[in-house]
């Protein structure tokens, strides 16, 4: 079971359920030692706003987490966001870090070659990986982010883990190793709906490559909770089972 979780969403992002208190209550009742509230970061221009909180609620969200901290003795509570990194908004992330305990790098979207914001799986794999790799590297150079969420997300909706995807994965993992990046084994990926006859994450072949060629990379299991009970559900257990099977280099907490 998890006792530390650093990836937690609320109803504010429009695709999760539960209030901040609902998650903290569940965590406290189940003996968690530390939990980070990391709802999806909103943007002033409203990009991705169908799956992000209203920008106008950003400061209230941080205030609400702060005000709840003292209600849960012996459980450490961190406030922060899961962030898309866009290179032209780097000042925004530096500003946010001053208000937060933790920022998580969770890259779902990038600018395409026409400058439009697109989700990774809306692009062909070559453009998707080019942007994914570049944005993650630029983000890591800032030293603002505690870990990389779901590093294998770029594989979602691809037909199979072929030699091209293996080489792309190897290139990404080489870069992550050079920055000593902690990477996440993400339980919520098991719930993601993908196109027929395609793959998702956590991807067994990706994590097998991690074990075989990058065994020193530090890996943390997170629920990526989108409902309070998913802080410790069957998908979390699947992550532990995968990590045990492959003998991954797990760390329990940050």
């Amino acid at each position: 079971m998890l006792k530390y979780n650093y990836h937690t969403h609320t109803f504010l992002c429009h695709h999760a359920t539960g209030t901040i208190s609902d998650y903290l209550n569940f965590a406290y009742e189940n003996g968690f030692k530390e939990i980070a509230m990391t709802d999806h970061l909103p943007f002033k221009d409203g990009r991705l706003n169908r799956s992000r909180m209203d920008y106008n609620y950003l400061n209230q969200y941080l205030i609400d987490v702060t005000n709840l901290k003292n209600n849960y003795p012996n459980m450490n509570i961190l406030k922060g966001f899961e962030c898309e990194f866009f290179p032209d908004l780097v000042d925004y992330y530096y500003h946010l870090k001053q208000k937060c305990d933790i920022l998580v790098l969770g890259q779902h979207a990038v600018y395409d070659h026409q400058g439009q914001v697109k989700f990774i799986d809306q692009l062909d794999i070559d453009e998707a990986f080019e942007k994914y790799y570049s944005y993650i590297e630029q983000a890591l150079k800032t030293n603002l982010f505690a870990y990389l969420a779901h590093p294998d997300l770029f594989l979602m909706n691809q037909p199979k883990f072929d030699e091209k995807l293996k080489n792309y994965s190897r290139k990404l993992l080489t870069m992550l190793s050079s920055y000593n990046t902690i990477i996440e084994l993400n339980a919520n990926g098991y719930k993601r709906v993908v196109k027929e006859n395609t793959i998702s994450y956590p991807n067994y072949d990706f994590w097998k490559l991690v074990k075989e060629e990058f065994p020193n990379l530090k890996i943390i299991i997170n629920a990526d909770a989108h409902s309070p009970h998913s802080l410790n559900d069957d998908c979390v257990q699947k992550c532990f089972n995968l990590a045990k099977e492959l003998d991954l280099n797990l760390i329990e907490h940050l």
Side-chain angles (χ1 to χ4, degrees):
M1 291 182 64
L2 281 180
K3 294 299 177 184
Y4 301 84
N5 185 67
Y6 301 95
H7 197 160
T8 317
H9 299 284
T10 74
F11 78 99
L12 294 169
C13 70
H14 307 297
H15 62 282
T17 61
T19 65
I20 297 168
S21 292
D22 290 335
Y23 288 89
L24 297 182
N25 287 340
F26 183 95
Y28 188 72
E29 291 168 2
N30 285 272
F32 275 59
K33 297 181 179 179
E34 187 164 60
I35 184 171
M37 299 306 304
T38 56
D39 225 330
H40 288 285
L41 177 68
F43 295 92
K44 195 170 185 179
D45 63 6
R47 69 184 64 183
L48 305 171
N49 62 358
R50 291 184 179 180
S51 56
R52 305 292 182 268
M53 73 170 68
D54 187 320
Y55 178 80
N56 293 327
Y57 198 75
L58 184 152
N59 286 326
Q60 188 61 50
Y61 161 81
L62 294 173
I63 291 169
D64 290 347
V65 178
T66 299
N67 288 342
L68 287 166
K69 284 188 174 186
N70 292 332
N71 294 353
Y72 302 90
N74 303 316
M75 184 175 75
N76 194 37
I77 300 168
L78 306 178
K79 60 182 178 182
F81 294 95
E82 179 186 9
C83 305
E84 310 288 338
F85 182 83
F86 294 100
D88 57 315
L89 300 180
V90 66
D91 289 344
Y92 181 36
Y93 308 112
Y94 278 107
H95 174 71
L96 276 172
K97 189 62 171 70
Q98 297 174 12
K99 299 181 176 184
C100 296
D101 302 310
I102 185 171
L103 295 180
V104 173
L105 180 58
Q107 200 72 36
H108 307 81
V110 295
Y111 296 124
D112 67 10
H113 287 318
Q114 286 74 46
Q116 301 298 310
V117 175
K118 294 288 182 62
F119 286 106
I120 295 291
D121 65 339
Q122 292 177 309
L123 306 175
D124 73 77
I125 185 58
D126 296 320
E127 182 179 2
F129 183 75
E130 172 198 343
K131 295 288 188 175
Y132 189 70
Y133 180 97
S134 174
Y135 282 32
I136 288 171
E137 183 170 36
Q138 291 177 73
L140 294 178
K141 287 179 179 178
T142 68
N143 291 313
L144 291 173
F145 301 97
Y147 66 87
L148 174 61
H150 39 61
D152 45 344
L153 176 138
F154 75 95
L155 301 173
M156 191 171 69
N157 285 319
Q158 294 303 311
K160 60 181 179 179
F161 193 82
D162 57 13
E163 199 62 27
K164 174 188 277 191
L165 292 186
K166 184 174 184 179
N167 287 333
Y168 278 160
S169 298
R170 183 180 288 116
K171 180 179 179 181
L172 176 67
L173 292 164
T174 299
M175 182 264 285
L176 296 174
S177 294
S178 73
Y179 286 94
N180 295 314
T181 307
I182 298 169
I183 60 175
E184 175 195 71
L185 185 54
N186 181 286
N188 188 60
Y190 286 119
K191 301 181 179 75
R192 294 295 296 268
V193 177
V194 296
K195 298 174 185 176
E196 189 175 359
N197 298 319
T198 65
I199 61 177
S200 186
Y201 64 92
N203 179 268
Y204 183 90
D205 293 312
F206 178 92
W207 292 101
K208 185 170 181 285
L209 180 66
V210 171
K211 175 59 181 178
E212 291 174 348
E213 299 187 19
F214 304 89
N216 294 323
L217 267 174
K218 294 179 181 178
I219 300 160
I220 191 162
I221 292 174
N222 280 315
D224 188 2
H226 284 69
S227 64
H229 77 273
S230 63
L231 283 167
N232 252 328
D233 63 6
D234 291 345
C235 293
V236 172
Q237 188 58 50
K238 284 182 180 180
C239 286
F240 279 107
N241 293 344
L242 178 61
K244 182 178 181 180
E245 178 182 349
L246 293 175
D247 190 26
L248 297 177
N249 183 30
L250 287 186
I251 60 172
E252 187 176 21
H253 58 82
L254 298 177

